[in-house]
Amino acid sequence: EPEVTQTPSHQVTQMGQEVILRCVPISNHLYFYWYRQILGQKVEFLVSFYNNEISEKSEIFDDQFSVERPDGSNFTLKIRSTKLEDSAMYFCASRIPPGGYTFGSGTRLTVV
Amino acid sequence: KNEVEQSPQNLTAQEGEFITINCSYSVGISALHWLQQHPGGGIVSLFMLSSGKKKHGRLIATINIQEKHSSLHITASHPRDSAVYICAVPHGGATNKLIFGTGTLLAVQP
């Protein structure tokens, strides 16, 4: 069964550093998403991406965040200057309507 | 006000018991998702349903669109069913982003 692959599984970074979280969605899917889950809290929507551009973003997704799909396969989330409160599990997901979502296994980001 | 509410938040069951997890939502939806999250964090999609009932193995999901309510049932529960079960609904915008419930932590004891 096709999978959404995320790397790395765990990243530790110093406050103020830039991080790039990587995802390889399912190849024929059309919609791509990033969600995050702060420890002990519910999963929250960050951004959706369709037709090579951001289609929707949440209030969380401020100027320090950016997404790219540079080569038609990888889908990346960049955090420019990490803060302690960015520590969370970040999930990539993809879908092709009318089907449901396929989630990646997540990247646990720890900012120290 | 939470748009997706789940109950109970925590559930402990003995192996073999029949389990029910409930989800209520306040927004209009096209479909509802039940997801499973194991320790370590990965999310697996269990069901997407827009009406009636779906069954997969020992898992059954039902939805009542008029009442804005869904249930996830596990028959003959097993310790390997221990996980967080999350209800999520697509809402708003063109891309059907998901709004998640807080999850139900299920522990099935042998």
Side-chain angles (χ1 to χ4, degrees):
Chain A
E1 186 159 336
E3 290 183 343
V4 173
T5 305
Q6 286 188 246
T7 54
S9 56
H10 191 185
Q11 174 138 12
V12 180
T13 189
Q14 292 214 322
M15 195 167 53
Q17 294 296 305
E18 175 184 284
V19 294
I20 298 176
L21 309 183
R22 302 181 191 279
C23 170
V24 180
I26 294 173
S27 58
N28 65 332
H29 282 194
L30 300 177
Y31 291 87
F32 312 104
Y33 306 82
W34 284 101
Y35 292 86
R36 80 170 185 191
Q37 184 179 34
I38 294 171
L39 186 65
Q41 297 186 22
K42 61 183 179 181
V43 179
E44 305 171 286
F45 168 73
L46 288 178
V47 65
S48 58
F49 195 85
Y50 171 72
N51 204 25
N52 288 318
E53 61 183 18
I54 290 174
S55 48
E56 192 173 354
K57 58 184 181 180
S58 72
E59 292 177 352
I60 303 167
F61 195 88
D62 61 21
D63 290 345
Q64 70 160 343
F65 290 92
S66 62
V67 289
E68 271 193 329
R69 194 155 185 259
D71 56 10
S73 63
N74 292 286
F75 180 49
T76 61
L77 175 69
K78 182 192 291 186
I79 309 174
R80 284 191 188 78
S81 177
T82 50
K83 305 172 193 159
L84 294 177
E85 55 264 37
D86 294 328
S87 295
M89 188 77 136
Y90 289 81
F91 293 101
C92 174
S94 68
R95 65 185 279 264
I96 180 166
Y101 280 74
T102 302
F103 285 86
S105 52
T107 292
R108 184 170 299 282
L109 177 65
T110 303
V111 183
V112 297
Chain B
K1 181 182 186 303
N2 287 328
E3 291 164 300
V4 182
E5 301 264 6
Q6 283 186 242
S7 63
Q9 289 192 330
N10 294 280
L11 182 56
T12 299
Q14 294 297 311
E15 184 172 356
E17 283 185 10
F18 181 83
I19 288 162
T20 296
I21 299 169
N22 295 299
C23 175
S24 296
Y25 52 93
S26 59
V27 296
I29 64 169
S30 55
L32 179 142
H33 298 254
W34 280 103
L35 310 163
Q36 181 190 58
Q37 186 174 30
H38 275 283
I43 293 175
V44 173
S45 181
L46 297 175
F47 295 104
M48 181 178 77
L49 68 165
S50 54
S51 64
K53 176 168 124 174
K54 284 191 175 180
K55 185 174 189 291
H56 186 251
R58 293 180 295 106
L59 301 178
I60 303 166
T62 63
I63 189 168
N64 184 319
I65 294 288
Q66 287 74 28
E67 295 186 4
K68 295 186 175 176
H69 182 268
S70 176
S71 294
L72 177 69
H73 306 285
I74 305 175
T75 62
S77 59
H78 190 276
R80 65 175 174 266
D81 297 325
S82 298
V84 176
Y85 292 85
I86 305 171
C87 168
V89 299
H91 177 58
T95 56
N96 275 347
K97 67 177 186 289
L98 290 179
I99 300 172
F100 288 73
T102 51
T104 295
L105 175 59
L106 171 65
V108 181
Q109 296 178 342

